[in-house]
Amino acid sequence: MQRIEAREKVTGAARYAYEHPREDAAYGWIVGATIARGEIISIDAAQALAAPGLIAVLTHENAPEVHPVADHELAVLQSPAVAYRGEIVAAVVAESAEAAREAATLVRIDYAESGHDVLLRADHPKLYKPDVVNPSFPTDTAVGDFDAAFGDADVQVDVTYTTAATHNNPMEPHATIAVWEAGAVTLYDSTQGAPAARDTIADVLGLERSQVRVISPHVGGGFGSKGTPRPHVVLAALCAKVCGRPVKLAVTRQQMFDITGYRTPTIQRLRLGSDREGRMSAIGHDVVEQTSTVREFAEQTATATRIMYAAPNRRTSHRLAALDVPTPSWMRAPGECPGMFALESAIDELASACGVDPIELRARNEPDADPETGKPFSSRNLVACLQEGAARFGWAERDPTPAARREGRWLIGTGVAASTYPAYQRPSGAFARAKPGGRFEVGVGAADIGTGARTVLTQIAADTLGVDTDAVEVRIGDSALPTAPVAGGSAGTASWGSAVVGACRALSLALEEGSGAEGEVQATYDTGPDLEARADYARHAFGAQFAEVRVDVDSGEVRLARMLGVFAAGRILNPLTARSQLIGGMTMGFSMALLEESSMDTEFGNFLNHDLAQYHVPVNADVGDIEVAWVDEHDEHLNPMGSKGIGEIGIVGAAAAVANAVFHATGTRFRDLPIRPDRVLATLGEDL
């Protein structure tokens, strides 16, 4: 089934946050700090207030007070302290966006600047152990005697990998329209979860849940950056309250690099010990990453290592440095994405050291149950994905010798890596309503961030009710609908869909019993009790990714020639949208390997390449032939649909597959992402 809202989107009829019509709207503009650490000592807004069309200037000296919450980033304009460059220090409101932008340049702010620390390193003196890693995983784990087992291993791999900071860059920038009426506020916001956003904003503003409504019918991408309210949402509400008018506030692309989150850089040490046939006895994964001084965010980078391969002796750890930088946050597959780059690269290094095919080595270390908890897997078809992918990709014809294949100035290589992502499901509510004329309405506080949620929920409802999809209207993107979790963690369809199934089943039963025959019949459902009663399984999706690259020996450029992903993700509910999601994830994964890097300026303390002219994301010419397939997987321990999430698994392992292919092409191992041309040229021998 094609996307229900496709025509609306391609014709411009779909309204995004900033586009909701308000003839009486004023326009806000953010003023960011120009120092990386210090304190505001004076603000002179006189020139700005005299500018044409100016309505107000908000600073910490006159902004309304907000209530303290756990996310201190939301304490907007509450203090003269500056914790990072680009932090919101003022806002200008005017009759037009252009007038607000011009007036923002006229606000004069003097600072008392302090020394700043913005560089992550493995020996940073401020490293500490967080209590948990996102969202609530143990920070460290240990099974057996890792040190002894690694020291006694016949084959040892002890390597360190780094990944650069990378920024979520959804097509639609973060934006909000705030409207106050009768002491309540309505927010038209670009968010991955309207109900959760409502709850957070209500707490910040000191309001009841009933006094806040968040409306978000269409979202132009998020990749995690819109999973929780960012500071601009609070700022829009404050501006509208002060001005007594609706206020439109959009975050510019450059400002997004400061206040809307990013993936932390990582330094990862992997230690693998095995016998000479590649059967592992020890796995160690130690991670160093950064957070801000404003709010702790600890990415769960080593958690995938805990479930991937069998080894009786294992250890994982996470350490953080709180630096004078913006707060990192969720970015597609937080933890699993950077963690699996390091693990799957190290697995490839172990295969080379043992002289074992990388697919065979993975199969030899396939666990019977979760290696650390002992829980049975609800289903685990990693080996099936590897085998199916090998057949489709032509792996058997591969010469395993590095740097053996060349065409003119191009070195050609292939690589493989595994993928995994948890099959999450969270409590959700939904309603289903029978309407006159044989039509049905279904409501759930879900969000469609480009994934096709409307479409698949319509399919689920129609299938449960036994009617055509044309007879069903699904309402999402509004906090007034039944509470549902955010579109994140690849849990959307499993969570919302289960609630929709429950509501539609209850509605069908009510219709059979003749309830409410003279009017509309409605049923609701909450999946909370169902989840509490579930058996204790390790639920994960798995996959295998294959890549072929071409490396130019003269320029150092790496081109992706082709890529294949084969996944085991339960029942695929909509092959059309699923394929799109998986290709999107794989594209982001190879972009991480070759292109994306947020470069920190240590002198001024901000990201230098903070726009899409300098922060490189792939365009059509960069994307080679990407194919997606899946294996049939029937898992009775999941949800009524039998589905696993697919939004994030596509990015997991993709970077490692590309990096492993670059090694196969060149004979040189690149352990630092991205694999830039200058790094390639610095290591290629002159004889090439």
Side-chain angles (χ1 to χ4, degrees), residues 107-423:
V107 178
R108 305 296 181 220
I109 303 177
D110 292 324
Y111 302 92
E113 190 169 359
S114 304
H116 58 264
D117 181 5
V118 296
L119 187 63
L120 179 68
R121 60 183 196 269
D123 60 349
H124 199 287
K126 293 182 180 179
L127 287 179
Y128 70 96
K129 177 184 175 182
D131 292 335
V132 295
V133 291
N134 175 59
S136 55
F137 290 107
T139 304
D140 299 349
T141 60
V143 176
D145 189 339
F146 168 79
D147 289 326
F150 181 74
D152 293 340
D154 295 328
V155 181
Q156 299 176 349
V157 171
D158 186 347
V159 286
T160 298
Y161 302 89
T162 69
T163 60
T166 52
H167 274 79
N168 320 51
N169 269 292
M171 186 178 295
E172 179 198 18
H174 295 63
T176 305
I177 303 175
V179 183
W180 286 88
E181 292 177 324
V185 64
T186 298
L187 301 167
Y188 299 89
D189 189 41
S190 185
T191 176
Q192 293 178 220
R198 171 203 59 200
D199 294 350
T200 299
I201 296 302
D203 290 342
V204 173
L205 299 179
L207 301 174
E208 299 295 327
R209 302 289 190 268
S210 59
Q211 295 175 287
V212 179
R213 184 180 181 186
V214 177
I215 299 173
S216 184
H218 298 283
V219 182
F223 311 116
S225 68
K226 299 174 183 175
T228 59
R230 301 310 190 208
H232 73 282
V233 185
V234 176
L235 183 63
L238 297 182
C239 289
K241 189 171 188 179
V242 167
C243 297
R245 290 172 59 179
V247 169
K248 290 189 173 190
L249 180 66
V251 181
T252 68
R253 181 68 59 181
Q254 291 194 348
Q255 291 167 347
M256 285 170 58
F257 281 76
D258 298 323
I259 63 171
T260 61
Y262 61 98
R263 194 191 302 281
T264 174
T266 70
I267 303 168
Q268 304 179 55
R269 183 184 183 189
L270 264 293
R271 284 176 286 177
L272 308 178
S274 76
D275 61 21
R276 300 192 189 281
E277 287 72 44
R279 293 179 177 85
M280 286 188 285
S281 57
I283 299 177
H285 192 171
D286 301 302
V287 181
V288 172
E289 52 200 24
Q290 72 188 35
T291 187
S292 74
T293 61
V294 180
R295 170 178 172 251
E296 181 182 279
F297 180 82
E299 187 150 341
Q300 70 276 28
T301 305
T303 54
T305 299
R306 298 171 184 174
I307 62 98
M308 277 304 293
Y309 299 111
N313 305 282
R314 351 175 31 95
R315 186 166 71 203
T316 66
S317 71
H318 299 81
R319 295 296 180 267
L320 281 181
L323 306 179
D324 303 312
V325 296
T327 306
S329 187
W330 301 333
M331 186 171 176
R332 198 172 198 167
E336 285 81 7
C337 176
M340 284 289 281
F341 160 68
L343 175 63
E344 289 301 295
S345 297
I347 290 290
D348 200 68
E349 296 205 42
L350 179 63
S352 295
C354 295
V356 177
D357 180 85
I359 293 177
E360 174 59 27
L361 185 133
R362 288 172 171 83
R364 290 179 185 178
N365 290 282
E366 180 71 356
D368 296 325
D370 185 312
E372 295 200 6
T373 68
K375 294 180 183 179
F377 288 103
S378 64
S379 58
R380 182 180 169 114
N381 285 297
L382 172 58
V383 173
C385 292
L386 289 164
Q387 293 172 343
E388 177 71 14
R392 289 173 176 262
F393 195 74
W395 190 260
E397 289 76 44
R398 175 186 191 256
D399 182 345
T401 307
R405 184 179 171 195
R406 179 167 180 167
E407 295 179 2
R409 70 173 194 254
W410 295 96
L411 298 172
I412 302 170
T414 54
V416 64
S419 303
T420 189
Y421 199 79

Side-chain angles (χ1 to χ4, degrees), residues 438 440 458 461-463 465-472:
F440 298 88
T458 300
D463 186 60
L465 293 167
V467 299
D468 292 336
T469 54
D470 290 344
V472 177

